[in-house]
Amino acid sequence: MPARQRTTPTRTAPTVPTAGPGVELTDRRTRDAALVVLTAPADDDMWFGPGTAELPDHWRTWAEPTGKTGEVRTIPGAPGSAPGTVRWLAGIADRTRADWRAAGAALIRSIQDFDRADVSARARRAVDIALPPDVEPAELGALVTGLRLGGYRFRLTADRTTEPRPRAIRLWLREPADGHRTELARAIALTSATSLARDLANMPSNIKDPAWLATVATRAADDTPGLTATVRDEHWLAEQGFGGVLAVGAGSATPPRLIELTWRPRGTPAAPHLVLIGKGVTFDTGGISIKPADGMHMMRTDMSGAAAVIAALQGIARLGLPIRVTGLAPAAENHMGASAYRPGDVVRHVDGRTTEIANTDAEGRLLLADALAYAARRLRPDVMVDVATLTGAMKVSLGLRTGGFFATTDDLAKRIDAAGDAVGERWWRLPLLDDHVDDVRGDLADVKQCPPGPGGIAAALFLREFTAGVPWAHLDIAGPARSDKTYDEVVPGGTGFAARTLIALAESFATPELG
């Protein structure tokens, strides 16, 4: 008897994506708006920005700002200002891009805390941030990243009265240049992508099944000119031989899906075709090789790779990048059930290659193997990049704030490094060790799902078997994809890690001078 289809209570789902604060660039001050002036730990000119002259000298003594990164001082009730008007001093330290991001994040959290505590302040929706006259576009972009992501909050609740609406943020610069405006638009697209990726990862799995994820991806494409979505169901997957995806999803009441997003702007015949692939396990029990109960609730974020790819495709399209990009998100739930796949099974993939199953909790690589084989055979890519919360070994190796990656070419590795550095996401390249290549060979099948050796490297070597020699990189985000604490622009829950890097990577191929 087939499993009964689960009913998804979509009416309880919040709006996706979560709205962040609006940010605009202006050369005029808003009357009676809250004012933010930036500070740094310098001996002489501690104040930065056009608002400096409005701050009495004694505030330096009263507020005692040190100017260190992320420090925020609040000065309510400035003389002659309207009720509810405040001044904030925000530290930017050495003015690195990381300092600007951290300052923006700390500032927006301080503003939100103030608004929650002071009901009268909620009526005043604008905040002016006085920028230094020499602010660089990259500095402005980093500040906007912190402002739009540092106050992110995702909640399913009936009581919205305690949540202040996002304030309008105005970046006050006496002489803004075209470069500032361009960078502002780019930062908004990048942070919107991160916010969408966070939303998708944070959504509870009683709502977020493969069909729901496909619906949201389709809606994102419908809302983005030039971006198209195609969703394939379990029948198509069976016809095309997606044995890995079907095996992972076999124990669930909700069948798997393959989500394909396509951005193909006109006039880009010479640009490379970039294929991005994201692991989309919408909940992972481990299957028959079941996970411990401790921490299993966070397995709703095991589709963070797919979330990053879906969000990146929307960001790439919104920026209008002159490059062809295809995003693939194989989505499945890994559950136990009468039809669940087992250790010892042999799975046949899209390219006919067979895999011997050792552990049903190593399911992500089966989804990626099918998607990589499909992309290499059908889509004719010039470059393939997959991203996944794949191995616990990566968390042991690099901790929870750095993503690990493997690349088959030095050029692609350099591009990923540079892309991450530009958007504030840290990456570390690991080797595809030749010493372990033979360990991937199977005894019962062509390849082993879980070869012996170092876990992250062994998984990458397994995936390389399905790339057909196409230049390829594997991004393992098991550590930074979720967080249990607040730091910089990151808040607890899904972080949206990798979405910005993928967009910046596409920019490097689309814009030769960035490569």
Side-chain angles (χ1 to χ4, degrees), residues 12 18 49 87 176 184 190 216 264 333 336 374 378:
T12 64
T18 298
R87 301 288 187 265
L184 173 60
L190 289 168
V216 174
R264 191 172 187 176
E333 288 185 330
M336 291 194 301
Y374 169 75
R378 305 287 179 83

Side-chain angles (χ1 to χ4, degrees), residues 15 32 64 195 270 308 326 348 408 442 485-486:
T15 301
D32 291 330
E64 297 182 342
S195 183
T326 302
R348 187 177 297 277
T408 56
K485 61 180 65 176
T486 297

Side-chain angles (χ1 to χ4, degrees), residues 134-365:
D134 63 342
V135 65
E136 296 291 335
E139 295 175 326
L140 182 150
L143 176 66
V144 172
T145 298
L147 288 168
R148 285 179 54 83
L149 296 178
Y152 173 92
R153 196 176 189 199
F154 184 93
R155 296 184 71 210
L156 292 172
T157 176
D159 182 11
R160 310 297 291 182
T161 60
T162 59
E163 293 296 311
R165 289 174 293 139
R167 290 206 188 199
I169 306 293
R170 291 163 52 93
L171 305 179
W172 178 25
L173 183 61
R174 286 265 167 84
E175 296 181 357
D178 289 343
H180 294 112
R181 296 185 179 90
T182 299
E183 185 60 29
L184 173 60
R186 177 176 179 269
I188 289 173
L190 289 168
T191 52
S192 294
T194 300
S195 183
L196 174 58
R198 288 179 177 183
D199 285 345
L200 296 178
N202 286 328
M203 186 66 70
S205 294
N206 63 314
I207 296 169
K208 177 182 59 188
D209 58 24
W212 182 90
L213 186 62
T215 297
V216 174
T218 300
R219 188 183 305 133
D222 290 342
D223 292 340
T224 309
L227 185 63
T228 59
T230 304
V231 178
R232 274 70 178 246
D233 64 12
E234 68 275 25
H235 304 295
W236 184 92
L237 293 170
E239 291 171 358
Q240 300 299 317
F242 280 73
V245 176
L246 292 168
V248 173
S252 173
T254 57
R257 295 286 186 269
L258 177 67
I259 303 161
E260 184 169 338
L261 296 172
T262 304
W263 167 249
R264 191 172 187 176
R266 294 180 179 179
T268 58
H273 179 198
L274 174 63
V275 173
L276 306 176
I277 301 168
K279 169 188 170 184
V281 177
T282 57
F283 193 79
D284 183 17
T285 67
I288 288 176
S289 308
I290 194 166
K291 292 178 178 291
D294 236 8
M296 193 192 286
H297 66 285
M298 286 306 295
M299 288 302 101
R300 65 176 178 268
T301 67
D302 207 24
M303 37 60 66
S304 294
V309 167
I310 292 167
L313 261 292
Q314 187 177 53
I316 288 166
R318 284 179 170 174
L319 289 171
L321 299 185
I323 177 176
R324 181 184 175 191
V325 185
T326 302
L328 297 177
E333 288 185 330
N334 188 24
H335 278 282
M336 291 194 301
S339 56
Y341 78 125
R342 297 155 292 246
D345 285 358
V346 171
V347 168
R348 187 177 297 277
H349 295 281
V350 171
D351 61 357
R353 198 179 303 260
T354 56
T355 293
E356 179 181 344
I357 305 302
N359 184 340
T360 64
D361 193 25
E363 82 296 332
R365 63 196 71 186

Side-chain angles (χ1 to χ4, degrees), residues 2 13 21 48 65 108 140 272 292 319 322 427 434 453:
F48 291 95
I108 197 66
L140 182 150
L319 289 171
W427 297 93
D434 290 338

